[in-house]
Amino acid sequence: MQRRSILKGALLAGAVALAPWLGAGMATPQAQAAELTKITFVQEWPVADGFWIPWILGKEKGFYAAEGIDLNIVAPPTVADTMKFLGTGRADLAFTTVMDIIFAKEQGAPVTAIGRYGQGNNWGIVSRQGEKFTVAELKGKTIGIYNDAWTKAQLALMLKSANLTLKDITMVAAADDTVPLLLQKRVDAITGITNAEGTGVVTTGKQKPEFLPAVEHGVPNTPIFMLAGNERWLKANPEKAKAFMRATEKSIAYAIAHPDEGTAAFTKLYSKAYDPAFIKQQWADTITLLGNPGADQLKLSDTAWTDLLNAVKAEGIVKETLPANQYYTNDYLPQGN
């Protein structure tokens, strides 16, 4: 399965023209009922991946229908379009990245994070089994990267912790997948996340990757993936937003407890578009990052956002930032969060 930069906003800021929708929502008998409210939920990437398993399974199990929702899960035409569709109201909700929200807010888009997907930042340096590096040992090495601003910023922060700069390494940019560079020994290490590039090394390379966590070397521990909403839609539909989050919390918990059901639900929809071994391993790797189901699993943190905003401003990724609480809200979380 081809991977890509998880923080695509900077890479594709020059947006392409919108194409027809891909990945139309999956119809179920419940979702076809006239009394259900249709909610369009746009994803972070044009090709389905294992991160989507909770809402795919939750829709199949009827968790969204039980909350009065006909959940229309759609893929954007390109990686640049998720925030455009959300910001313009062509989607009500989105699965996206924290940096895409920051970039969108910088451009004045009416988008807000309403829940996290994962407990922290699992980005770092991935290397071949048995070839583990310290940050200092990266000097003079060749590193496969994605050519976006935040990847380079995180890498710069890591290197700074050992008094190094980007000039001390050789960077090789990959368009959509750094894993082949690593497995073909064209680079010494790559940048990536444990449940994407790390998963790819396991399933394609048949080896356990070494991982050097960025958060242990000066990078903010802010979750990478987010659930977000169009602010106008949220204001007009607060109860439906809460219902969506209740169903999503239930769906994540169920998918964690029933991984085989989750991958089976994914298979029914995307059997021709993915590597089954990758998706099974990816969901297993993702489960370890989601935290324990319950009141705090989706809750956003002012500290995590502030740390990230300070970092992106200091690195010049954005010129100005807003107060942290203007990027997110916990108002739509279940269980009184």
Side-chain angles (χ1 to χ4, degrees):
M1 182 177 186
Q2 288 189 326
R3 297 305 304 165
R4 74 289 185 188
S5 170
I6 53 172
L7 301 162
K8 64 233 178 222
L11 177 62
L12 295 165
V16 298
L18 295 179
W21 283 81
L22 302 178
M26 294 74 70
T28 66
Q30 299 96 328
Q32 293 170 350
E35 67 270 17
L36 300 183
T37 298
K38 183 177 179 179
I39 291 179
T40 299
F41 182 34
V42 65
Q43 305 300 288
E44 91 292 11
W45 184 244
V47 180
D49 58 36
F51 303 140
W52 305 4
I53 281 176
W55 29 97
I56 289 172
L57 182 57
K59 180 164 185 174
E60 180 181 274
K61 301 297 293 186
F63 299 156
Y64 291 95
E67 292 286 355
I69 295 170
D70 171 6
L71 188 66
N72 186 32
I73 304 170
V74 299
T78 77
V79 294
D81 290 323
T82 299
M83 284 293 98
K84 289 196 296 181
F85 275 94
L86 186 67
T88 59
R90 294 189 68 177
D92 307 309
L93 301 167
F95 176 58
T96 186
T97 73
V98 65
M99 280 306 304
D100 279 316
I101 293 170
I102 291 174
F103 288 133
K105 293 288 280 188
E106 186 181 32
Q107 297 170 12
V111 300
T112 297
I114 59 173
R116 62 182 178 177
Y117 185 83
Q119 303 296 294
N121 183 349
N122 62 312
W123 183 95
I125 301 296
V126 180
S127 53
R128 291 177 289 271
Q129 185 172 341
E131 299 180 19
K132 190 171 185 176
F133 300 106
T134 66
V135 176
E137 289 170 343
L138 294 177
K139 184 174 183 179
K141 297 295 189 293
T142 301
I143 310 297
I145 69 164
Y146 296 109
N147 199 23
D148 63 277
W150 182 231
T151 288
K152 290 181 179 178
Q154 290 185 100
L155 187 52
L157 288 170
M158 287 188 74
L159 293 170
K160 185 178 180 180
S161 71
N163 296 315
L164 301 176
T165 71
L166 294 177
K167 294 180 180 179
D168 291 307
I169 63 172
T170 299
M171 293 180 286
V172 178
D176 56 17
D177 193 358
T178 56
V179 172
L181 295 176
L182 184 68
L183 297 180
Q184 295 166 13
K185 298 188 177 181
R186 295 164 59 191
V187 297
D188 298 301
I190 60 175
T191 61
I193 56 176
T194 56
N195 57 336
E197 288 71 27
T199 302
V201 173
V202 171
T203 57
T204 303
K206 309 302 180 184
Q207 59 181 280
K208 181 179 179 180
E210 306 290 349
F211 184 66
L212 184 63
V215 295
E216 295 180 4
H217 301 281
V219 177
N221 192 25
T222 305
I224 294 170
F225 293 107
M226 297 281 166
L227 299 165
N230 175 283
E231 291 174 355
R232 290 187 289 267
W233 184 88
L234 292 171
K235 185 176 181 180
N237 300 277
E239 295 308 313
K240 282 301 174 187
K242 292 177 183 178
F244 169 82
M245 294 303 284
R246 284 194 300 270
T248 299
E249 180 186 69
K250 185 174 183 179
S251 297
I252 292 173
Y254 190 89
I256 289 172
H258 303 86
D260 290 340
E261 281 191 53
T263 53
F266 189 95
T267 299
K268 290 178 185 178
L269 296 172
Y270 303 108
S271 60
K272 296 180 180 180
Y274 78 102
D275 174 5
F278 180 92
I279 294 299
K280 183 176 181 179
Q281 184 64 51
Q282 185 182 40
W283 181 237
D285 293 341
T286 300
I287 285 173
T288 66
L289 304 170
L290 294 177
N292 296 324
D296 293 331
Q297 188 177 36
L298 305 180
K299 191 172 185 179
L300 293 158
S301 160
D302 197 78
T303 299
W305 275 89
T306 298
D307 289 347
L308 177 59
L309 291 166
N310 289 341
V312 297
K313 185 176 180 180
E315 292 297 320
I317 297 173
V318 296
K319 292 181 179 179
E320 296 294 335
T321 58
L322 303 169
N325 62 8
Q326 293 190 34
Y327 292 88
Y328 79 92
T329 179
N330 288 318
D331 289 351
Y332 304 102
L333 293 181
Q335 301 181 25
N337 284 324

